[in-house]
Amino acid sequence: QVQLVESGGRLVQAGGSLRLSCAASGRTFSTYAMGWFRQAPGKEREFVASISRSGSSRYYADSVKGRFTVSRDNAKNTVTLQMNSLKHEDTAVYYCAGTINTAQVMGVRPDLIKSWGQGTQVTVSS
């Protein structure tokens, strides 16, 4: 198990950029594939992006592809989400997640995820 804490969420103008960070505890961080999910008011939680244990593979939801970049630093036990060209539709609470499964399946099998952060609010003004 790994404990996760997100940070970096704030109010930002449409077209702007924001970087979210997720700090993980423990010395087994590199054994977890990591990802980001988000949940907007009145909507279900949706997959945003994920990254493999080594960082060699990345996966993105179609809605954010080309605008968001997920990365990780295993030496620092952190995963980040760089968000560019933000849209009002990106407004949501963003959650960091970790799994002993693969990054590829995070978007289709979120039920397999055992570790979740508390969430950080991102608000994009229109």
Side-chain angles (χ1 to χ4, degrees):
Q1 299 294 316
V2 60
Q3 284 72 50
L4 307 171
V5 180
E6 306 95 333
S7 63
R10 64 175 177 87
L11 174 66
V12 64
Q13 293 181 321
S17 298
L18 192 63
R19 180 184 289 265
L20 304 182
S21 295
C22 175
S25 65
R27 294 179 292 276
T28 60
F29 176 71
S30 62
T31 69
Y32 287 79
M34 301 295 296
W36 291 91
F37 290 75
R38 67 186 182 186
Q39 186 168 23
K43 297 183 179 180
E44 295 185 350
R45 182 178 58 192
E46 66 174 340
F47 169 76
V48 176
S50 62
I51 186 168
S52 63
R53 294 166 180 80
S54 67
S56 62
S57 299
R58 297 176 174 86
Y59 305 90
Y60 299 95
D62 289 341
S63 60
V64 307
K65 191 172 297 182
R67 299 188 298 120
F68 291 10
T69 302
V70 63
S71 60
R72 69 188 296 162
D73 187 337
N74 287 346
K76 296 181 178 179
N77 280 17
T78 58
V79 59
T80 64
L81 184 68
Q82 178 64 47
M83 304 184 292
N84 298 326
S85 301
L86 283 163
K87 305 174 181 179
H88 179 67
E89 304 89 83
D90 295 318
T91 295
V93 176
Y94 284 70
Y95 297 91
C96 179
T99 180
I100 59 174
N101 233 299
T102 67
Q104 185 175 12
V105 303
M106 290 188 77
V108 294
R109 291 294 304 277
D111 55 298
L112 298 177
I113 299 172
K114 293 185 176 181
S115 299
W116 294 90
Q118 85 289 349
T120 186
Q121 176 71 49
V122 173
T123 303
V124 183
S125 62
S126 60

